[in-house]
Amino acid sequence: MGKVGTGWRRTTSRKIRDALDSVVSPKSRLSKQLKRPKATWVEPKFVAEIEYRDVTSEGLLRASSFKGLSRK
């Protein structure tokens, strides 16, 4: 639904990458395959917590902010 505008730091990126590396999947779970040869697929074990003010008419988040990552 868009990109996060704030709340993201380098240390956050490293922690998220480490968490996702623990749930790497050998293949995509999508029913329709994407042409992304460099994609790394992961099991859906985490939820990104995002705060936002509104949703645009295009269906994108407005004024979004990353709040954290939690395990499902």
Side-chain angles (χ1 to χ4, degrees):
M1 291 186 67
K3 296 180 181 181
V4 176
T6 188
W8 195 274
R9 296 186 175 88
R10 274 186 208 225
T11 56
T12 305
S13 294
R14 181 78 259 159
K15 289 177 184 177
I16 290 173
R17 182 61 197 207
D18 290 344
L20 293 176
D21 282 345
S22 72
V23 293
V24 170
S25 175
K27 63 179 184 171
S28 167
R29 296 184 71 177
L30 299 174
S31 57
K32 183 178 179 182
Q33 297 302 312
L34 300 177
K35 294 180 182 180
R36 300 275 229 166
K38 293 185 179 185
T40 300
W41 302 104
V42 296
E43 294 294 327
K45 303 286 183 185
F46 296 94
V47 175
E49 298 171 15
I50 309 295
E51 184 177 273
Y52 61 94
R53 298 238 172 143
D54 199 6
V55 178
T56 68
S57 59
E58 294 85 23
L60 300 174
L61 299 180
R62 182 176 310 219
S64 58
S65 176
F66 178 78
K67 296 299 179 185
L69 192 69
S70 60
R71 221 166 190 12
K72 279 183 162 181

